[in-house]
Amino acid sequence: MFRLLFKYSALIFIFNTLLLSIESTFYIGNQIFILLSFLFAFSLVLHPGQIKLILFHKSFLFFLLIHIVSVIYFLFFHNLSDIDALKYVFARVIQFSVISFSIFHHYDYYKNNFLLNLSYLLFFLVLVGFIVNPFIFSGRYSGIMWNPNAFSVYLIISFSVLFFRDGRISNFQYIMMFVFLLLALSTGSRGVLVAIVLMYIIKYGISTTSILYGIIFTFIYFLVINLDFDTSINRFSEQDLLNDRILQYKYAFLSIKNKLVSGYGLDKYAYLDKSLVPLSLQSTIIGAHNGYLAILTQYGVIFGSIIIYIIISKCYELITFFYSSSNNLKMYVFIIIYTLCASLYEALIVGINEFSTILFWFSLAILSFTKFKMSDAN
């Protein structure tokens, strides 16, 4: 039983974010997360040898470093009565442990098949959403999910799985790609355009093919902006990527300055101090909408800078190592680069049950483990 839990807990953990993104299944998803967390924690207590073997494995040391920084921060600025901060530390430990254990025990599946299975599951949910809500271009489309931006991330990641897939793509998979891309654009998320550009650069580089696709995309861009839709293209043409984030960044910086060293605490992730925001703006300024500013707000500039350095240095190491690898591995490179870029305008990286954040950590872990196996083989 425990071996199955170790192998498939990451699959359950990531699939469960789908339930958490749908309003009618959010409660069920939350209960599954709590149950999985305690089952996994119990299994770790019963198998202490696995902790040393996996959690201290060279491939996953960057997870351990983040845990150490968080624990030291907790000792400085929290106490045992801060239950919410303890919950955050516990949830982060479980998140990283689930990813590490699953990759270690079921590496081939997660490397080759997991994301493809995820894209098929999402395609099924997309069809269900289309039956429930078929009005794609009447406002920002979100299917059966509560948030169009979150929906766009699921769609663009699923599109990228097929886009970077090695080997022949079936006709059905081409249909899936078309549906994913069409619906991603209909969500109105401007981040979709960032993702598309990144995908083509990562896969083709600056080549004749990418220039040709660039010309086609430019033609489509000017065609769509003249139509009365609310797609990602229309919203991008009407306002740039960050114009509605600048004011939120201002109050995020003020929050950081207000508690420069101590931060606001581990339980205040994706946080912004509303007491610093004028009453007239409090309904619109709901968060920093920037993952890096959120980390500095949470940990303070000293501990937050250390966390950001660990993340960026690991990303740089893996991106430079795998950038010219096979397409299957480039897919994980894309997820890492896309998340780093998206963190400039969304509060990613800091959460626990957010889809793109989990996939970001998962991608770092599987590429790190792949690099270890390649080095070990050599």
Side-chain angles (χ1 to χ4, degrees), residues 25-85:
T25 58
F26 177 83
Y27 178 78
I28 297 173
N30 194 46
Q31 299 308 305
I32 290 174
F33 169 72
I34 294 171
L35 177 62
L36 176 63
S37 297
F38 280 101
L39 277 177
F40 199 87
F42 180 67
S43 66
L44 289 181
V45 172
L46 294 181
H47 299 84
Q50 292 282 311
I51 296 176
K52 182 179 179 181
L53 177 66
I54 299 173
L55 299 189
F56 289 86
H57 192 281
K58 181 180 179 181
S59 303
F60 309 125
L61 280 181
F62 67 101
F63 283 158
L64 183 61
L65 290 175
I66 293 174
H67 289 323
I68 291 172
V69 173
S70 297
V71 170
I72 294 173
Y73 176 88
F74 184 91
L75 294 175
F76 271 102
F77 300 110
H78 286 289
N79 56 61
L80 294 177
S81 64
D82 294 332
I83 301 301
D84 287 339

Short mmCIF file of all heavy atoms in Angstrom, two decimals, residues 25-85:
data_model
loop_
_atom_site.label_atom_id
_atom_site.label_comp_id
_atom_site.label_asym_id
_atom_site.label_seq_id
_atom_site.Cartn_x
_atom_site.Cartn_y
_atom_site.Cartn_z
N THR A 25 -16.59 21.23 -6.78
CA THR A 25 -15.81 20.10 -6.25
C THR A 25 -14.68 20.59 -5.31
O THR A 25 -13.84 19.79 -4.92
CB THR A 25 -15.19 19.27 -7.39
OG1 THR A 25 -14.36 20.13 -8.20
CG2 THR A 25 -16.27 18.65 -8.25
N PHE A 26 -14.68 21.88 -4.99
CA PHE A 26 -13.59 22.42 -4.17
C PHE A 26 -13.52 21.73 -2.80
O PHE A 26 -12.43 21.38 -2.33
CB PHE A 26 -13.77 23.93 -3.98
CG PHE A 26 -12.73 24.55 -3.09
CD1 PHE A 26 -11.49 24.91 -3.60
CD2 PHE A 26 -12.98 24.76 -1.74
CE1 PHE A 26 -10.52 25.47 -2.78
CE2 PHE A 26 -12.02 25.32 -0.91
CZ PHE A 26 -10.79 25.68 -1.44
N TYR A 27 -14.67 21.53 -2.17
CA TYR A 27 -14.68 20.91 -0.84
C TYR A 27 -14.10 19.50 -0.90
O TYR A 27 -13.29 19.11 -0.04
CB TYR A 27 -16.11 20.87 -0.30
CG TYR A 27 -16.22 20.19 1.05
CD1 TYR A 27 -15.86 20.85 2.22
CD2 TYR A 27 -16.65 18.86 1.14
CE1 TYR A 27 -15.94 20.21 3.46
CE2 TYR A 27 -16.73 18.22 2.37
CZ TYR A 27 -16.38 18.89 3.53
OH TYR A 27 -16.45 18.25 4.74
N ILE A 28 -14.51 18.74 -1.92
CA ILE A 28 -13.99 17.37 -2.07
C ILE A 28 -12.48 17.40 -2.27
O ILE A 28 -11.73 16.63 -1.66
CB ILE A 28 -14.66 16.67 -3.27
CG1 ILE A 28 -16.17 16.54 -3.04
CG2 ILE A 28 -14.05 15.29 -3.52
CD1 ILE A 28 -16.94 16.02 -4.24
N GLY A 29 -12.01 18.32 -3.13
CA GLY A 29 -10.58 18.44 -3.38
C GLY A 29 -9.81 18.79 -2.12
O GLY A 29 -8.71 18.28 -1.88
N ASN A 30 -10.38 19.65 -1.29
CA ASN A 30 -9.72 20.05 -0.05
C ASN A 30 -9.61 18.88 0.92
O ASN A 30 -8.57 18.69 1.58
CB ASN A 30 -10.49 21.20 0.60
CG ASN A 30 -9.70 21.89 1.68
OD1 ASN A 30 -8.52 22.20 1.51
ND2 ASN A 30 -10.32 22.12 2.83
N GLN A 31 -10.65 18.06 0.99
CA GLN A 31 -10.63 16.88 1.87
C GLN A 31 -9.62 15.85 1.36
O GLN A 31 -8.92 15.21 2.17
CB GLN A 31 -12.03 16.25 1.95
CG GLN A 31 -13.10 17.15 2.53
CD GLN A 31 -12.70 17.77 3.86
OE1 GLN A 31 -12.35 17.06 4.80
NE2 GLN A 31 -12.73 19.10 3.93
N ILE A 32 -9.52 15.70 0.05
CA ILE A 32 -8.54 14.77 -0.52
C ILE A 32 -7.12 15.23 -0.18
O ILE A 32 -6.25 14.42 0.17
CB ILE A 32 -8.72 14.66 -2.05
CG1 ILE A 32 -10.03 13.93 -2.38
CG2 ILE A 32 -7.53 13.93 -2.70
CD1 ILE A 32 -10.36 13.91 -3.86
N PHE A 33 -6.88 16.55 -0.28
CA PHE A 33 -5.55 17.08 0.04
C PHE A 33 -5.20 16.81 1.50
O PHE A 33 -4.08 16.38 1.81
CB PHE A 33 -5.51 18.58 -0.23
CG PHE A 33 -4.28 19.26 0.30
CD1 PHE A 33 -3.05 19.05 -0.29
CD2 PHE A 33 -4.36 20.08 1.42
CE1 PHE A 33 -1.90 19.65 0.21
CE2 PHE A 33 -3.22 20.69 1.92
CZ PHE A 33 -1.99 20.47 1.32
N ILE A 34 -6.13 17.05 2.41
CA ILE A 34 -5.87 16.83 3.83
C ILE A 34 -5.61 15.35 4.10
O ILE A 34 -4.65 14.99 4.81
CB ILE A 34 -7.06 17.33 4.68
CG1 ILE A 34 -7.19 18.86 4.57
CG2 ILE A 34 -6.91 16.91 6.14
CD1 ILE A 34 -8.45 19.41 5.19
N LEU A 35 -6.43 14.48 3.52
CA LEU A 35 -6.27 13.04 3.71
C LEU A 35 -4.93 12.56 3.16
O LEU A 35 -4.20 11.81 3.82
CB LEU A 35 -7.42 12.29 3.04
CG LEU A 35 -7.36 10.75 3.09
CD1 LEU A 35 -7.40 10.27 4.54
CD2 LEU A 35 -8.49 10.13 2.28
N LEU A 36 -4.59 13.00 1.94
CA LEU A 36 -3.33 12.60 1.33
C LEU A 36 -2.15 13.09 2.17
O LEU A 36 -1.16 12.36 2.36
CB LEU A 36 -3.23 13.18 -0.09
CG LEU A 36 -1.91 12.93 -0.84
CD1 LEU A 36 -1.69 11.43 -1.05
CD2 LEU A 36 -1.91 13.66 -2.18
N SER A 37 -2.22 14.31 2.68
CA SER A 37 -1.13 14.87 3.48
C SER A 37 -0.88 14.03 4.73
O SER A 37 0.28 13.70 5.04
CB SER A 37 -1.46 16.32 3.88
OG SER A 37 -1.57 17.14 2.74
N PHE A 38 -1.94 13.67 5.44
CA PHE A 38 -1.75 12.91 6.67
C PHE A 38 -1.36 11.46 6.40
O PHE A 38 -0.54 10.89 7.14
CB PHE A 38 -3.03 12.97 7.53
CG PHE A 38 -3.16 14.25 8.30
CD1 PHE A 38 -3.99 15.26 7.89
CD2 PHE A 38 -2.41 14.44 9.46
CE1 PHE A 38 -4.09 16.46 8.59
CE2 PHE A 38 -2.50 15.63 10.19
CZ PHE A 38 -3.35 16.64 9.74
N LEU A 39 -1.89 10.87 5.34
CA LEU A 39 -1.46 9.52 4.97
C LEU A 39 0.01 9.49 4.61
O LEU A 39 0.76 8.58 5.01
CB LEU A 39 -2.29 9.01 3.79
CG LEU A 39 -3.66 8.40 4.09
CD1 LEU A 39 -4.36 8.03 2.79
CD2 LEU A 39 -3.51 7.17 4.98
N PHE A 40 0.44 10.50 3.86
CA PHE A 40 1.84 10.55 3.44
C PHE A 40 2.75 10.80 4.64
O PHE A 40 3.81 10.18 4.76
CB PHE A 40 2.04 11.64 2.39
CG PHE A 40 3.29 11.47 1.59
CD1 PHE A 40 3.31 10.68 0.44
CD2 PHE A 40 4.47 12.08 1.99
CE1 PHE A 40 4.47 10.51 -0.28
CE2 PHE A 40 5.64 11.92 1.27
CZ PHE A 40 5.65 11.13 0.13
N ALA A 41 2.34 11.71 5.52
CA ALA A 41 3.14 11.98 6.72
C ALA A 41 3.25 10.72 7.58
O ALA A 41 4.33 10.40 8.11
CB ALA A 41 2.51 13.12 7.52
N PHE A 42 2.15 9.98 7.72
CA PHE A 42 2.15 8.73 8.49
C PHE A 42 3.09 7.70 7.87
O PHE A 42 3.83 7.00 8.57
CB PHE A 42 0.72 8.19 8.57
CG PHE A 42 0.59 6.91 9.35
CD1 PHE A 42 0.82 6.89 10.72
CD2 PHE A 42 0.24 5.74 8.71
CE1 PHE A 42 0.71 5.70 11.44
CE2 PHE A 42 0.12 4.55 9.41
CZ PHE A 42 0.36 4.54 10.79
N SER A 43 3.07 7.63 6.54
CA SER A 43 3.94 6.66 5.84
C SER A 43 5.41 7.02 6.01
O SER A 43 6.28 6.14 6.08
CB SER A 43 3.57 6.58 4.37
OG SER A 43 3.83 7.80 3.71
N LEU A 44 5.72 8.32 6.09
CA LEU A 44 7.11 8.74 6.31
C LEU A 44 7.59 8.32 7.69
O LEU A 44 8.74 7.89 7.86
CB LEU A 44 7.24 10.26 6.16
CG LEU A 44 7.11 10.84 4.75
CD1 LEU A 44 7.30 12.36 4.79
CD2 LEU A 44 8.13 10.23 3.80
N VAL A 45 6.71 8.44 8.68
CA VAL A 45 7.06 8.04 10.05
C VAL A 45 7.36 6.54 10.10
O VAL A 45 8.29 6.10 10.80
CB VAL A 45 5.92 8.39 11.03
CG1 VAL A 45 6.19 7.80 12.41
CG2 VAL A 45 5.75 9.90 11.12
N LEU A 46 6.61 5.75 9.33
CA LEU A 46 6.80 4.30 9.33
C LEU A 46 8.00 3.87 8.49
O LEU A 46 8.48 2.74 8.64
CB LEU A 46 5.54 3.61 8.80
CG LEU A 46 4.27 3.73 9.65
CD1 LEU A 46 3.12 2.98 9.00
CD2 LEU A 46 4.50 3.22 11.06
N HIS A 47 8.50 4.74 7.64
CA HIS A 47 9.62 4.39 6.75
C HIS A 47 10.71 5.46 6.85
O HIS A 47 10.99 6.18 5.88
CB HIS A 47 9.15 4.25 5.30
CG HIS A 47 8.13 3.18 5.10
ND1 HIS A 47 6.79 3.38 5.32
CD2 HIS A 47 8.26 1.88 4.69
CE1 HIS A 47 6.13 2.26 5.06
NE2 HIS A 47 7.01 1.33 4.68
N PRO A 48 11.36 5.58 8.01
CA PRO A 48 12.38 6.63 8.18
C PRO A 48 13.58 6.46 7.24
O PRO A 48 14.23 7.44 6.89
CB PRO A 48 12.79 6.48 9.65
CG PRO A 48 12.43 5.07 10.01
CD PRO A 48 11.19 4.76 9.23
N GLY A 49 13.87 5.21 6.86
CA GLY A 49 14.98 4.98 5.94
C GLY A 49 14.76 5.64 4.60
O GLY A 49 15.73 6.07 3.93
N GLN A 50 13.50 5.75 4.18
CA GLN A 50 13.18 6.39 2.90
C GLN A 50 13.47 7.90 2.96
O GLN A 50 13.81 8.50 1.93
CB GLN A 50 11.70 6.17 2.58
CG GLN A 50 11.33 4.75 2.26
CD GLN A 50 11.73 4.36 0.85
OE1 GLN A 50 11.45 5.07 -0.11
NE2 GLN A 50 12.42 3.24 0.73
N ILE A 51 13.35 8.49 4.14
CA ILE A 51 13.61 9.93 4.27
C ILE A 51 15.07 10.22 3.95
O ILE A 51 15.39 11.12 3.17
CB ILE A 51 13.27 10.39 5.70
CG1 ILE A 51 11.77 10.23 5.97
CG2 ILE A 51 13.70 11.84 5.91
CD1 ILE A 51 11.36 10.57 7.38
N LYS A 52 15.97 9.42 4.54
CA LYS A 52 17.40 9.62 4.28
C LYS A 52 17.74 9.31 2.82
O LYS A 52 18.52 10.03 2.19
CB LYS A 52 18.21 8.72 5.21
CG LYS A 52 19.72 8.88 5.04
CD LYS A 52 20.48 7.99 6.00
CE LYS A 52 21.99 8.16 5.78
NZ LYS A 52 22.77 7.27 6.70
N LEU A 53 17.13 8.27 2.27
CA LEU A 53 17.43 7.85 0.91
C LEU A 53 16.98 8.86 -0.12
O LEU A 53 17.69 9.13 -1.11
CB LEU A 53 16.76 6.49 0.63
CG LEU A 53 16.90 5.92 -0.79
CD1 LEU A 53 18.35 5.59 -1.09
CD2 LEU A 53 16.00 4.70 -0.96
N ILE A 54 15.79 9.45 0.09
CA ILE A 54 15.18 10.30 -0.95
C ILE A 54 15.27 11.78 -0.62
O ILE A 54 15.74 12.58 -1.43
CB ILE A 54 13.71 9.87 -1.16
CG1 ILE A 54 13.65 8.42 -1.63
CG2 ILE A 54 13.03 10.79 -2.19
CD1 ILE A 54 12.27 7.84 -1.72
N LEU A 55 14.81 12.19 0.55
CA LEU A 55 14.77 13.61 0.86
C LEU A 55 16.17 14.22 0.99
O LEU A 55 16.34 15.43 0.81
CB LEU A 55 13.98 13.86 2.15
CG LEU A 55 12.51 13.42 2.11
CD1 LEU A 55 11.78 13.91 3.35
CD2 LEU A 55 11.81 13.93 0.85
N PHE A 56 17.18 13.36 1.28
CA PHE A 56 18.56 13.83 1.33
C PHE A 56 19.32 13.47 0.06
O PHE A 56 20.54 13.60 0.01
CB PHE A 56 19.28 13.25 2.56
CG PHE A 56 18.82 13.83 3.86
CD1 PHE A 56 17.72 13.30 4.52
CD2 PHE A 56 19.46 14.92 4.43
CE1 PHE A 56 17.28 13.83 5.72
CE2 PHE A 56 19.02 15.46 5.63
CZ PHE A 56 17.93 14.92 6.27
N HIS A 57 18.60 13.01 -0.94
CA HIS A 57 19.21 12.67 -2.23
C HIS A 57 19.75 13.93 -2.89
O HIS A 57 19.16 15.01 -2.80
CB HIS A 57 18.17 12.01 -3.14
CG HIS A 57 18.73 11.36 -4.36
ND1 HIS A 57 19.10 12.08 -5.47
CD2 HIS A 57 18.99 10.05 -4.63
CE1 HIS A 57 19.55 11.25 -6.40
NE2 HIS A 57 19.50 10.02 -5.91
N LYS A 58 20.88 13.81 -3.57
CA LYS A 58 21.54 14.95 -4.20
C LYS A 58 20.59 15.71 -5.13
O LYS A 58 20.63 16.95 -5.21
CB LYS A 58 22.76 14.47 -4.97
CG LYS A 58 23.54 15.58 -5.66
CD LYS A 58 24.75 15.00 -6.40
CE LYS A 58 25.51 16.12 -7.12
NZ LYS A 58 26.67 15.59 -7.87
N SER A 59 19.72 15.01 -5.82
CA SER A 59 18.81 15.63 -6.79
C SER A 59 17.82 16.57 -6.13
O SER A 59 17.37 17.54 -6.75
CB SER A 59 18.04 14.56 -7.56
OG SER A 59 18.91 13.67 -8.21
N PHE A 60 17.46 16.27 -4.88
CA PHE A 60 16.40 17.02 -4.21
C PHE A 60 16.93 17.92 -3.08
O PHE A 60 16.16 18.37 -2.24
CB PHE A 60 15.36 16.06 -3.66
CG PHE A 60 14.86 15.06 -4.66
CD1 PHE A 60 14.93 13.69 -4.41
CD2 PHE A 60 14.35 15.48 -5.88
CE1 PHE A 60 14.48 12.76 -5.35
CE2 PHE A 60 13.90 14.55 -6.83
CZ PHE A 60 13.97 13.20 -6.56
N LEU A 61 18.24 18.18 -3.08
CA LEU A 61 18.83 18.99 -2.02
C LEU A 61 18.30 20.42 -2.01
O LEU A 61 18.25 21.06 -0.95
CB LEU A 61 20.36 18.99 -2.15
CG LEU A 61 21.09 17.76 -1.59
CD1 LEU A 61 22.59 17.93 -1.76
CD2 LEU A 61 20.74 17.51 -0.13
N PHE A 62 17.91 20.94 -3.19
CA PHE A 62 17.38 22.31 -3.22
C PHE A 62 16.06 22.41 -2.45
O PHE A 62 15.77 23.45 -1.85
CB PHE A 62 17.23 22.81 -4.66
CG PHE A 62 16.18 22.10 -5.47
CD1 PHE A 62 14.94 22.68 -5.67
CD2 PHE A 62 16.42 20.86 -6.07
CE1 PHE A 62 13.96 22.07 -6.43
CE2 PHE A 62 15.46 20.24 -6.84
CZ PHE A 62 14.22 20.83 -7.02
N PHE A 63 15.27 21.32 -2.44
CA PHE A 63 14.07 21.29 -1.59
C PHE A 63 14.48 21.38 -0.12
O PHE A 63 13.88 22.12 0.66
CB PHE A 63 13.29 19.99 -1.81
CG PHE A 63 12.47 19.97 -3.07
CD1 PHE A 63 12.09 18.76 -3.63
CD2 PHE A 63 12.06 21.14 -3.69
CE1 PHE A 63 11.32 18.73 -4.80
CE2 PHE A 63 11.29 21.11 -4.86
CZ PHE A 63 10.93 19.90 -5.41
N LEU A 64 15.49 20.59 0.24
CA LEU A 64 15.95 20.57 1.63
C LEU A 64 16.46 21.94 2.06
O LEU A 64 16.19 22.39 3.19
CB LEU A 64 17.05 19.52 1.79
CG LEU A 64 17.60 19.32 3.21
CD1 LEU A 64 16.49 18.86 4.15
CD2 LEU A 64 18.76 18.31 3.20
N LEU A 65 17.17 22.64 1.18
CA LEU A 65 17.68 23.98 1.49
C LEU A 65 16.54 24.95 1.77
O LEU A 65 16.61 25.77 2.70
CB LEU A 65 18.55 24.49 0.34
CG LEU A 65 19.90 23.80 0.15
CD1 LEU A 65 20.59 24.33 -1.11
CD2 LEU A 65 20.80 24.01 1.37
N ILE A 66 15.48 24.87 0.96
CA ILE A 66 14.31 25.74 1.18
C ILE A 66 13.66 25.42 2.52
O ILE A 66 13.26 26.34 3.27
CB ILE A 66 13.31 25.59 0.02
CG1 ILE A 66 13.91 26.16 -1.28
CG2 ILE A 66 11.99 26.30 0.34
CD1 ILE A 66 13.07 25.92 -2.52
N HIS A 67 13.58 24.13 2.87
CA HIS A 67 13.03 23.75 4.18
C HIS A 67 13.88 24.33 5.32
O HIS A 67 13.33 24.85 6.30
CB HIS A 67 13.00 22.22 4.32
CG HIS A 67 11.98 21.54 3.46
ND1 HIS A 67 10.74 22.09 3.23
CD2 HIS A 67 12.01 20.35 2.80
CE1 HIS A 67 10.05 21.27 2.44
NE2 HIS A 67 10.79 20.22 2.18
N ILE A 68 15.19 24.24 5.18
CA ILE A 68 16.09 24.73 6.24
C ILE A 68 15.90 26.23 6.44
O ILE A 68 15.80 26.72 7.58
CB ILE A 68 17.56 24.40 5.89
CG1 ILE A 68 17.79 22.89 5.98
CG2 ILE A 68 18.51 25.14 6.82
CD1 ILE A 68 19.15 22.44 5.47
N VAL A 69 15.83 26.99 5.33
CA VAL A 69 15.62 28.44 5.42
C VAL A 69 14.28 28.73 6.10
O VAL A 69 14.19 29.62 6.97
CB VAL A 69 15.67 29.09 4.02
CG1 VAL A 69 15.29 30.56 4.10
CG2 VAL A 69 17.05 28.94 3.41
N SER A 70 13.25 27.98 5.74
CA SER A 70 11.92 28.19 6.34
C SER A 70 11.92 27.90 7.83
O SER A 70 11.30 28.63 8.63
CB SER A 70 10.88 27.32 5.63
OG SER A 70 10.75 27.68 4.27
N VAL A 71 12.60 26.82 8.23
CA VAL A 71 12.66 26.46 9.65
C VAL A 71 13.42 27.52 10.44
O VAL A 71 13.00 27.92 11.54
CB VAL A 71 13.30 25.06 9.83
CG1 VAL A 71 13.59 24.80 11.31
CG2 VAL A 71 12.38 23.98 9.28
N ILE A 72 14.55 27.97 9.90
CA ILE A 72 15.33 29.01 10.59
C ILE A 72 14.49 30.29 10.72
O ILE A 72 14.47 30.93 11.78
CB ILE A 72 16.65 29.30 9.84
CG1 ILE A 72 17.56 28.08 9.90
CG2 ILE A 72 17.36 30.51 10.44
CD1 ILE A 72 18.82 28.20 9.06
N TYR A 73 13.79 30.64 9.64
CA TYR A 73 12.91 31.81 9.69
C TYR A 73 11.85 31.63 10.78
O TYR A 73 11.57 32.55 11.56
CB TYR A 73 12.24 32.04 8.34
CG TYR A 73 11.23 33.17 8.36
CD1 TYR A 73 11.63 34.48 8.10
CD2 TYR A 73 9.89 32.95 8.65
CE1 TYR A 73 10.72 35.53 8.16
CE2 TYR A 73 8.97 33.97 8.71
CZ TYR A 73 9.40 35.27 8.45
OH TYR A 73 8.49 36.30 8.51
N PHE A 74 11.25 30.43 10.83
CA PHE A 74 10.22 30.15 11.84
C PHE A 74 10.77 30.34 13.24
O PHE A 74 10.11 30.93 14.12
CB PHE A 74 9.70 28.73 11.66
CG PHE A 74 8.57 28.37 12.58
CD1 PHE A 74 7.25 28.56 12.21
CD2 PHE A 74 8.82 27.86 13.86
CE1 PHE A 74 6.21 28.25 13.07
CE2 PHE A 74 7.79 27.55 14.72
CZ PHE A 74 6.48 27.75 14.32
N LEU A 75 11.99 29.86 13.49
CA LEU A 75 12.59 29.97 14.82
C LEU A 75 12.86 31.42 15.21
O LEU A 75 12.78 31.78 16.39
CB LEU A 75 13.90 29.17 14.86
CG LEU A 75 13.75 27.65 14.71
CD1 LEU A 75 15.12 26.98 14.65
CD2 LEU A 75 12.93 27.06 15.86
N PHE A 76 13.15 32.25 14.22
CA PHE A 76 13.42 33.66 14.49
C PHE A 76 12.13 34.47 14.71
O PHE A 76 12.08 35.34 15.59
CB PHE A 76 14.21 34.28 13.33
CG PHE A 76 15.71 34.18 13.49
CD1 PHE A 76 16.42 33.22 12.80
CD2 PHE A 76 16.40 35.03 14.33
CE1 PHE A 76 17.79 33.11 12.93
CE2 PHE A 76 17.77 34.94 14.48
CZ PHE A 76 18.48 33.97 13.78
N PHE A 77 11.11 34.22 13.91
CA PHE A 77 9.97 35.14 13.86
C PHE A 77 8.63 34.51 14.22
O PHE A 77 7.61 35.20 14.19
CB PHE A 77 9.87 35.75 12.46
CG PHE A 77 11.11 36.52 12.06
CD1 PHE A 77 11.96 36.04 11.08
CD2 PHE A 77 11.43 37.72 12.68
CE1 PHE A 77 13.10 36.74 10.72
CE2 PHE A 77 12.56 38.44 12.33
CZ PHE A 77 13.41 37.95 11.35
N HIS A 78 8.61 33.22 14.53
CA HIS A 78 7.35 32.57 14.92
C HIS A 78 7.55 31.83 16.24
O HIS A 78 8.67 31.70 16.74
CB HIS A 78 6.90 31.57 13.85
CG HIS A 78 6.33 32.20 12.61
ND1 HIS A 78 5.12 32.84 12.58
CD2 HIS A 78 6.83 32.29 11.34
CE1 HIS A 78 4.88 33.29 11.35
NE2 HIS A 78 5.91 32.97 10.59
N ASN A 79 6.45 31.31 16.75
CA ASN A 79 6.52 30.39 17.88
C ASN A 79 5.50 29.28 17.66
O ASN A 79 4.72 29.33 16.70
CB ASN A 79 6.29 31.12 19.21
CG ASN A 79 4.96 31.88 19.23
OD1 ASN A 79 3.90 31.27 19.10
ND2 ASN A 79 5.02 33.20 19.36
N LEU A 80 5.51 28.30 18.52
CA LEU A 80 4.67 27.12 18.31
C LEU A 80 3.17 27.42 18.38
O LEU A 80 2.36 26.58 18.00
CB LEU A 80 5.03 26.05 19.34
CG LEU A 80 6.45 25.44 19.19
CD1 LEU A 80 6.71 24.44 20.30
CD2 LEU A 80 6.60 24.79 17.82
N SER A 81 2.81 28.59 18.87
CA SER A 81 1.38 28.95 18.92
C SER A 81 0.89 29.49 17.57
O SER A 81 -0.32 29.68 17.38
CB SER A 81 1.14 30.00 20.01
OG SER A 81 1.82 31.21 19.71
N ASP A 82 1.81 29.74 16.63
CA ASP A 82 1.42 30.23 15.30
C ASP A 82 1.01 29.04 14.43
O ASP A 82 1.79 28.53 13.62
CB ASP A 82 2.58 31.00 14.65
CG ASP A 82 2.91 32.28 15.38
OD1 ASP A 82 2.00 32.86 16.01
OD2 ASP A 82 4.08 32.71 15.32
N ILE A 83 -0.21 28.59 14.64
CA ILE A 83 -0.69 27.36 14.00
C ILE A 83 -0.69 27.48 12.48
O ILE A 83 -0.30 26.54 11.77
CB ILE A 83 -2.11 27.00 14.51
CG1 ILE A 83 -2.09 26.83 16.03
CG2 ILE A 83 -2.60 25.73 13.83
CD1 ILE A 83 -1.15 25.75 16.52
N ASP A 84 -1.10 28.63 11.96
CA ASP A 84 -1.17 28.78 10.50
C ASP A 84 0.21 28.70 9.86
O ASP A 84 0.37 28.15 8.77
CB ASP A 84 -1.84 30.12 10.15
CG ASP A 84 -3.33 30.11 10.42
OD1 ASP A 84 -3.90 29.00 10.48
OD2 ASP A 84 -3.93 31.19 10.56
N ALA A 85 1.21 29.26 10.54
CA ALA A 85 2.58 29.17 10.03
C ALA A 85 3.07 27.72 10.05
O ALA A 85 3.74 27.26 9.11
CB ALA A 85 3.51 30.06 10.85
#
